[in-house]
Amino acid sequence: MTTQHEVPRTLMVDGFRTRQSFGFAGLSTTATMVAAGVLVAEGIIATQAPVSLLVTLPLTFVVFALAAARRHGMSALAYYWAKLSWRRAAKFEATAYRRVLLPHPYALDLPGVGASSTLIKAHDPTTGKSVGVVHDRRSGYMTVTTLLAPGGSLMAPTGTVQSSLRTWSSVLDAMSTDEQIKGASVTIQITPGAGEALGDDVRSRKDPGAPRLATQIIDELVRTTPHATASVAPWMSVTVDPNAAASPPQDLAEQVAEALRVVDSIDLSGTGTDIERRATDVDLRRLVRSAYDPDVFNARDADFEALSWAECGPQAADDGWEEYFHDGGVSMSWVLREMPRRPIAYSVLLPLLAPGRFQRRVTLAYRVLDPHEGEAVLEREISHAYNRAQATAEVKGRAKWSQRADAERAEKAAAQVAGGSQVVDWTLMVTVTARSAEDLPAARQELERAVKATRGIRMRPAYGAQAAVFAAGLPLGYNPLVKD
């Protein structure tokens, strides 16, 4: 007999909407303008050489037909262009990474999107402990990671959950008005088979004089625990621009101090999240290194203290179209394609966070728009929604019901913003890691089942961007939504 977790109506959330542009025949506004410019140019050329239309017109229509068609939630032109670019990069071995032993200009850099990052060990005067700060040397941004205590709210009263959601809304509101906060991400890493340490602890504390039945039960639990438990490691990374302060810092030390001050101003109390501590440089080395090589996840802190930041990356890696081969295993990353258009429960991500056979990392990255930018975005979306409905009505006699509903959702979002809500750009990324290529089909099947269990969230593989999405789930200072 199975029971279904009933969620009160007050704990349902909605308001998810994908930005949509307005153009001709499914094209975006930019693509429509480009198409019009190309056709005008072809018409001008045809006045001198009419035969050229036999070549240019079919080619133009093919290109823009691909731009209007959809493939895996994106335009077919973007999909095939990305695949062509990836194949060209693979041909020149640009998708392969090997750490060199000889002196090299980039020998002390991480591969890919982490190449511009460096790790700084700082002293936090508020706690008196060391803190790890990741500095992006290209943009000047700094990322501070906070380790969180794993917990949940499924057993909490409805009023407590409502209060936590309201407090999270207040946190987002504070982030939207702080020009120094560029973005943030919350990651939960689930590593299966972490029951060995618990089994060792139980064996050392077992009483030799205990009853035989109790001893048998304990031994059975110790035997099955490694296959039934998981280690959960959640953390939150905040990206800060210290130079956006009213009085910009003069040197690197002042920039680190400013970044720590901004992150300390984010109050997570009352959100239902327990803060463990600021991540130290050793914590960051462990999280990054164990992602590339899961076998060292439970190693001692002393094993990570001597590692340089570059040594936390892979010894060798190959960035495939749908998978990422690296030290100790092969990973596959998926990204959000579309959220449900109906209200969903606050616990919708629970199937993705449930332990499985393989290590899984779920990352929610977001960027809170400032009130003026958010209002402008929504006004533009309302205009695009009504223009699409009007264009369809002029051609077919009436607008589609989906277009009317989309316009209503855009108006509802604008009304919520007018009432004090915030507009947030966000995305969801999931990475699953298997120990060998033979286990990859099973890992893919496990991830597909977890996504289907969410009952509405649609995701797809990160085609041609496996290494970047893999790194986005780590405290490397890279957030795909943060723009320079």
Side-chain angles (χ1 to χ4, degrees), residues 63-184:
V63 171
F64 288 106
L66 289 175
R70 309 298 293 176
R71 183 74 186 272
H72 301 294
M74 67 184 81
S75 69
L77 181 62
Y79 174 81
Y80 290 117
W81 179 261
K83 194 163 189 177
L84 180 64
S85 300
W86 176 83
R87 287 183 174 178
R88 182 176 181 275
K91 180 180 179 180
F92 292 97
E93 299 183 351
T95 59
Y97 170 80
R98 300 293 183 270
R99 183 184 298 170
V100 296
L101 301 179
L102 298 176
H104 194 274
Y106 306 102
L108 300 180
D109 291 338
L110 291 173
V113 295
S116 61
S117 67
T118 183
L119 180 61
I120 300 174
K121 181 179 180 181
H123 176 75
D124 189 358
T126 59
T127 60
K129 299 180 180 179
S130 62
V131 178
V133 179
V134 177
H135 178 217
D136 191 326
R137 295 167 293 184
R138 180 178 56 85
S139 64
Y141 296 166
M142 293 190 173
T143 302
V144 180
T145 300
T146 303
L147 301 182
L148 308 176
S153 57
L154 291 179
M155 302 297 293
T158 301
T160 302
V161 179
Q162 287 179 321
S163 177
S164 299
L165 293 176
R166 286 193 296 268
T167 306
W168 267 114
S169 178
S170 300
V171 172
L172 295 178
D173 183 46
M175 294 176 64
S176 68
T177 56
D178 194 331
E179 296 181 355
Q180 293 183 265
I181 299 179
K182 297 302 180 181

Side-chain angles (χ1 to χ4, degrees), residues 6-93:
E6 296 292 339
V7 179
R9 183 70 181 178
T10 55
L11 297 183
M12 305 292 283
V13 294
D14 58 359
F16 307 106
R17 187 178 179 277
T18 304
R19 291 191 187 185
Q20 299 183 22
S21 182
F22 170 70
F24 175 76
L27 296 175
S28 64
T29 303
T30 303
T32 301
M33 295 177 64
V34 172
V38 170
L39 291 177
V40 170
E42 289 179 351
I44 295 175
I45 295 175
T47 58
Q48 303 296 327
V51 182
S52 64
L53 292 177
L54 298 176
V55 177
T56 58
L57 277 181
L59 182 61
T60 300
F61 282 120
V62 168
V63 171
F64 288 106
L66 289 175
R70 309 298 293 176
R71 183 74 186 272
H72 301 294
M74 67 184 81
S75 69
L77 181 62
Y79 174 81
Y80 290 117
W81 179 261
K83 194 163 189 177
L84 180 64
S85 300
W86 176 83
R87 287 183 174 178
R88 182 176 181 275
K91 180 180 179 180
F92 292 97
E93 299 183 351

Side-chain angles (χ1 to χ4, degrees), residues 233-247:
W235 63 83
M236 178 179 182
S237 298
V238 180
T239 301
V240 177
D241 182 9
N243 296 315
S247 300

